[in-house]
Amino acid sequence: MLPLPLDAGSYDYALPEEMEAPPGSFVVVPLGPREMIGVVWDGDPDPDLPARRLKPVGTVLDAPPMGESLRRFVEWVAAYTLSPPGMVLRMAMSAPSALEPAPQRAGWQLAPGAIREDLRLTPARQRVLDQLGPGEVRTGSELAEAAGVSPGVVRGLADAGLLVPALLPRGAAFPLPDPEHPGPALMPEQRAASEALKAKVAAREFGVTLLTGVTGSGKTEVYLDAIAECLRQGRQALVLLPEIALSAQWLERFRRRFGVDPALWHSELSSRTRRDTWRAVAEGGAPVVVGARSALFLPYPDLGLLIVDEEHETAFKQEDGVIYHARDMAVVRARLAGAACILVSATPSLETLTNAETGRYDHLHLSERHGSAGMPAVEAIDLRKHPPERGRFISPPLIEAVQDTFARGEQAMLFLNRRGYAPLTLCRACGHRLRCPNCTAWLVEHRAQRRLQCHHCGHAEPIPNTCPECSALGSLTPVGPGVERVLEEVTQLFPDARRIVMASDTIPGPAAATAAAEAIANRQVDLIIGTQIVAKGWHFPHLTLVGVVDADLGLAGGDLRAAERTLQLLHQVAGRAGRAEAPGKVLLQTFSPDHPVMRALVSGDVAAFMEEEAAGRRPGHWPPFGRLAALIVSSEDEQEADRAARDLGLSAPRLAGVEVLGPAPAPLALLRGRHRRRLLLKARRDVQVQPLLREWLEKVDLPSHVRVQVDVDPVGFL
Ligand code: ADP
Ligand code: ZN
């Protein structure tokens, strides 16, 4: 099989007599004029193909073969998502250089006799020698950095004959976390959950457990125990986190618990780290991997435990290329590997809850916050009764609560899930609204950069002085708030408060996230203004007030899961308040305090809310009580998109228990210059949608530049 988006799956080649290449071997084969790396797949060759027509395999690479369970996983994901298997294989070969002979790098080691009492060395030179154990090899730059000296000092030692060149060992492995390193003494409820999970891991077989409990109830502490058990079993553990680049605090906890760092896997790794990590995983040298969804496709030789933290997060859904949900695929990966799987959340998805209720998953629950911290008190502020001043967004009760918090020397957070200054710019003279030329979307003002930006395609332009429609001068006016505008407002309201904005554009990566978390923990910040990135996992002990500027924001749009998702997000944000001794408080600014989402947040009864959600979806066979698959038809030519969508609509499957909705223009009818139409196939749970979809798509002949994306189990409906 070749890592290419070809429908055929695998190809036949001849294996020269002297070569050994069992299934899974990485081989170099000719493909047309090129050479490519592929994987020897299972199955029989095409009997009709005469042997003389077969091209020979070039070389077998010196890399651990791809294991059986990963090969089956590649096939499974391809079949489920209707993607060419080679495209999925490509995700499992995402560090091709790891397959080539590792270039061996040179470094330095101690010369025989370099450690002598009578040598009089400068302190700098001594520090360099102190970095090296007997026989240990390290690069010059590493040595210089560890000793805090310039590279010249290392060279000087080499010139003096005290260091001699040596080759670094290949494929350095990650250090083994110590499973016996003690964790905190668990509370009784935690201990019971930990014992149950450890037993699952020790059983060395597949099974899924849902671990729930309010934010701060100690779920992480509990699943770290399961990781320790997996290490004792000598198998690898994988933890998927929704926002790995922002997980500094999580990594810190791992380090405290196990004494070493885990292997990290996400898209921002340098190509060398990628290569080394991939290779280490393949050779069994990465006992624990913490990663984004793509870490599912690493070549673990013996995966024993798979944890999906914040399993309800939509970030686990990959929306382009191979469209898949990493939480669902994690369960499949665990099944194929014979591993235990733990899904963790304070607010699990209805899908997962339903699986727990029907007994497909086991369910463990932690009912209390750890230590003295209670749950924060949540109140709604009815914006109809307490409107903010004209042109402002923070209501008097929220202003007062922030002031009180500061007076007690505590921290406050204002949450608004919207980047930039204002989501819409309007001409006061003619009513014209500034929109993206490539997308069905308003341009978002980013005042700090003096630009208007499209959050879908990245289009950006300077803020014009005159209206592009009616040429009125100075008539353009921002409508609605983004975090920058909230910052402007709080700067006027609380001029003495030290403020930080946490959004994906102000906190671009792990280093910035760590710095921000430290500043907050060290009380160098009084007020945090943040988008959804502040919702995830943070533990800020001095934060006692969370104000949600627009709690209604996620409810618009009519998406199937809008309410569920809003509840999950706001519950998570609320969970940031009062995690230490001082009690926390959460204020929700809303125009609809009677909405079920607000009522559930105020009462804290998430379970009742989820039951209502289930009751709403069950009769119509909406997920998880039925299946959905979306087809997104797109073309640069609007009529062509319409025609293709209509043709698809006309040949839609007609079957009992299956319904096809649309075609209709997608809410984002224009995206990056492509016109988009949607069809939605809705089926009862007992219907297998993949064969239907495959047949349907084969029936329709589409022009070559019309693209049809298949999204099985869609999460987004844009
Ligand atoms: P969750 O994952 O449910 O949000 P955490 O595991 O992050 O909860 O726990 C919340 C806080 O309480 C963390 O700071 C954690 O270190 C601490 N904690 C949890 N359990 C214990 C325990 N048994 N002993 C000491 N500290 C604990
Ligand atoms: Zn755009």
Side-chain angles (χ1 to χ4, degrees):
M1 188 179 290
L2 296 166
L4 294 171
L6 306 167
D7 285 324
S10 51
Y11 290 82
D12 290 334
Y13 286 89
L15 190 68
E17 202 118 304
E18 68 284 3
M19 264 185 210
E20 282 266 354
S25 303
F26 289 96
V27 290
V28 179
V29 295
L31 181 76
R34 296 189 288 162
E35 292 214 303
M36 272 206 92
I37 300 179
V39 177
V40 177
W41 219 252
D42 321 68
D44 296 322
D46 181 354
D48 298 333
L49 212 60
R52 64 189 156 73
R53 297 248 336 260
L54 295 181
K55 289 189 184 154
V57 168
T59 37
V60 182
L61 294 174
D62 177 23
M66 179 177 286
E68 160 100 33
S69 89
L70 181 51
R71 298 202 303 278
R72 296 295 84 77
F73 184 60
V74 166
E75 286 169 349
W76 206 97
V77 173
Y80 191 84
T81 60
L82 271 82
S83 311
M87 222 165 126
V88 182
L89 177 66
R90 185 154 65 187
M91 301 197 289
M93 290 174 59
S94 54
S97 62
L99 299 167
E100 285 153 19
Q104 240 184 323
R105 286 185 296 148
W108 301 102
Q109 68 180 14
L110 294 174
I115 305 292
R116 287 208 324 261
E117 292 291 318
D118 58 329
L119 274 180
R120 297 228 171 150
L121 294 174
T122 61
R125 285 188 164 197
Q126 189 60 52
R127 275 207 305 280
V128 174
L129 295 187
D130 288 347
Q131 305 304 318
L132 285 167
E136 191 182 354
V137 186
R138 298 178 72 175
T139 65
S141 52
E142 238 175 54
L143 273 177
E145 199 184 306
V149 302
S150 74
V153 178
V154 178
R155 269 197 307 275
L157 280 163
D159 293 342
L162 294 170
L163 289 178
V164 291
L167 288 179
L168 285 154
R170 292 171 180 239
F174 288 85
L176 187 67
D178 176 6
E180 311 310 333
H181 204 288
L186 296 182
M187 311 304 288
E189 210 180 24
Q190 283 180 309
R191 197 166 336 118
S194 153
E195 292 304 326
L197 291 177
K198 284 193 295 195
K200 300 262 170 206
V201 175
R204 302 178 71 97
E205 59 184 30
F206 169 65
V208 186
T209 307
L210 168 62
L211 176 61
T212 56
V214 294
T215 49
S217 58
K219 299 184 292 297
T220 312
E221 228 46 80
V222 167
Y223 75 63
L224 289 177
D225 272 5
I227 295 177
E229 181 57 35
C230 181
L231 293 167
R232 276 185 218 111
Q233 297 285 330
R235 307 179 85 189
Q236 294 96 46
L238 165 62
V239 184
L240 294 184
L241 299 178
E243 199 89 48
I244 181 78
L246 300 173
S247 307
Q249 283 192 328
W250 192 96
L251 293 171
E252 174 59 36
R253 276 178 79 174
F254 186 91
R255 211 172 293 133
R256 246 186 288 139
R257 174 63 199 267
F258 291 113
V260 298
D261 281 322
L264 280 182
W265 188 262
H266 55 81
S267 59
E268 279 154 55
L269 297 179
S270 72
S271 59
R272 197 162 100 199
T273 310
R274 257 182 121 66
R275 182 194 67 200
D276 292 348
T277 305
W278 197 94
R279 186 90 191 186
V281 172
E283 290 170 352
V288 180
V289 176
V290 177
R293 54 196 180 213
S294 56
L296 279 176
F297 294 91
L298 287 173
Y300 312 94
D302 188 16
L303 193 61
L305 175 63
L306 219 160
I307 297 168
V308 184
D309 201 353
E310 312 288 8
E311 69 86 32
H312 63 276
E313 275 286 341
T314 50
F316 285 123
K317 183 74 192 274
Q318 170 148 313
E319 298 282 12
D320 50 10
V322 177
I323 300 180
Y324 69 96
H325 202 304
R327 179 238 300 143
D328 299 343
M329 295 307 124
V331 172
V332 175
R333 183 83 164 101
R335 180 164 57 74
L336 294 170
C341 181
I342 309 176
L343 305 179
V344 186
S345 174
T347 51
S349 61
L350 190 57
E351 278 71 10
T352 299
L353 265 184
T354 307
N355 279 326
E357 262 155 36
T358 57
R360 292 179 60 181
Y361 297 172
D362 284 326
H363 189 175
L364 298 168
H365 182 71
L366 306 178
S367 58
E368 282 167 27
R369 271 196 160 182
H370 167 75
S372 55
M375 286 308 286
V378 183
E379 286 167 35
I381 297 175
D382 187 340
L383 288 175
R384 294 165 307 186
K385 292 196 194 125
H386 305 282
E389 269 179 46
R390 239 183 100 78
R392 299 274 180 111
F393 302 93
I394 305 176
S395 65
L398 182 53
I399 295 174
E400 202 176 309
V402 173
Q403 272 160 349
D404 292 349
T405 307
F406 291 162
R408 287 193 305 272
E410 295 162 2
Q411 293 167 328
M413 174 190 279
L414 294 176
F415 174 78
L416 177 64
N417 199 14
R418 228 190 227 146
R419 289 189 289 130
Y421 185 83
L424 173 68
T425 303
L426 177 90
C427 171
R428 257 178 294 140
C430 74
H432 178 69
R433 299 161 170 221
L434 299 183
R435 31 167 294 195
C436 175
N438 316 315
C439 305
T440 315
W442 308 126
L443 289 172
V444 179
E445 178 178 349
H446 286 252
R447 188 161 284 193
Q449 290 127 289
R450 299 166 182 275
R451 293 176 89 72
L452 296 165
Q453 274 181 25
C454 171
H455 285 182
H456 296 282
C457 71
H459 169 88
E461 57 185 69
I463 303 170
N465 293 323
T466 56
C467 171
E469 189 67 20
C470 72
S471 306
L473 184 68
S475 70
L476 293 174
T477 184
V479 180
V483 281
E484 286 182 21
R485 198 166 190 183
V486 172
L487 173 69
E488 182 183 86
E489 187 170 334
V490 297
T491 306
Q492 289 161 6
L493 288 169
F494 316 109
D496 300 329
R498 294 160 302 172
R499 302 164 291 261
I500 187 172
V501 175
M502 292 179 75
S504 56
D505 43 357
T506 60
I507 307 282
T514 311
E518 267 168 24
I520 296 167
N522 297 336
R523 314 183 88 143
Q524 289 154 345
V525 168
D526 303 304
L527 182 59
I528 304 156
I529 301 149
T531 63
Q532 42 111 12
I533 72 165
V534 300
K536 301 206 173 93
W538 305 99
H539 181 67
F540 299 136
H542 312 295
L543 177 69
T544 55
L545 175 71
V546 169
V548 176
V549 176
D550 183 356
D552 308 328
L553 185 59
L555 294 173
D559 172 331
L560 167 71
R561 298 187 185 84
E564 179 189 344
R565 214 139 58 200
T566 304
L567 178 90
Q568 286 160 339
L569 179 62
L570 295 184
H571 185 87
Q572 207 165 23
V573 177
R576 298 314 112 204
R579 290 173 65 97
E581 294 78 40
K585 183 168 177 173
V586 179
L587 295 173
L588 309 168
Q589 295 197 135
T590 173
F591 283 101
S592 41
D594 292 324
H595 192 285
V597 167
M598 306 310 149
R599 286 216 300 253
L601 288 164
V602 169
S603 69
D605 196 349
V606 176
F609 170 85
M610 292 305 274
E611 268 166 42
E612 256 180 71
E613 273 292 299
R617 289 192 217 168
R618 200 175 272 120
H621 300 284
W622 292 99
F625 310 104
R627 300 181 187 278
L628 287 183
L631 298 186
I632 301 111
V633 182
S634 70
S635 166
E636 283 176 14
D637 182 304
E638 183 164 10
Q639 270 148 25
E640 203 172 53
D642 273 328
R643 212 173 310 125
R646 198 188 51 226
D647 288 351
L648 274 166
L650 289 173
S651 52
R654 273 170 245 282
L655 221 79
V658 176
E659 198 182 338
V660 173
L661 313 170
L668 267 169
L670 184 66
L671 178 64
R672 296 183 201 98
R674 297 182 74 88
H675 296 272
R676 303 163 76 243
R677 304 290 178 264
R678 293 182 66 104
L679 295 112
L680 191 64
L681 180 138
K682 180 161 163 276
R684 288 213 310 257
R685 256 205 88 87
D686 52 358
V687 175
Q688 277 244 340
V689 298
Q690 283 81 5
L692 282 181
L693 289 168
R694 224 169 269 128
E695 214 178 292
W696 181 11
L697 290 169
E698 272 163 19
K699 263 194 295 194
V700 185
D701 246 341
L702 296 170
S704 61
H705 27 274
V706 168
R707 200 157 61 205
V708 181
Q709 272 186 313
V710 182
D711 183 355
V712 179
D713 308 330
V715 162
F717 292 85
L718 293 177

